[in-house]
Amino acid sequence: MAKISISLPEKLLTYLDQKVENRSALIESLLQQWRQQQEDAALAQACSLVDELELGWEYEWQKAAITDREASGFKPSIHP
């Protein structure tokens, strides 16, 4: 695994250390969540374009998309 250095203000590091056991794991988890949100947004945009262009969804496409999302462990999140 590649290593990355991140510089954070001392106050923030102190706060993190008070709230979590492993700050590296927290940062990794946050980055993974961000990546998943980016992928979800890209998929939503692609679906919107398919609908907008009236390309239609064939049954096989729908089934494959649902299967892919379930296999990825997708859990919809509610954004305010």
Side-chain angles (χ1 to χ4, degrees), residues 6 8 12 14-15 22 24 28 31 35-36 38 42 48 62-63 65-68 71-73 76-77 79:
I6 298 175
L8 297 172
L12 183 54
T14 301
Y15 177 78
N22 183 343
S24 294
E28 182 180 349
L31 289 171
R35 182 184 65 190
Q36 187 63 51
Q38 299 303 306
S48 177
Q62 289 176 349
K63 187 175 178 183
I66 291 168
T67 301
D68 289 346
S72 73
S77 58
H79 299 284

Side-chain angles (χ1 to χ4, degrees), residues 17-34:
D17 289 339
Q18 291 172 353
K19 300 295 180 182
V20 297
E21 281 186 34
N22 183 343
R23 69 173 101 130
S24 294
L26 172 65
I27 293 169
E28 182 180 349
S29 174
L30 291 171
L31 289 171
Q32 287 174 345
Q33 289 176 22
W34 176 80

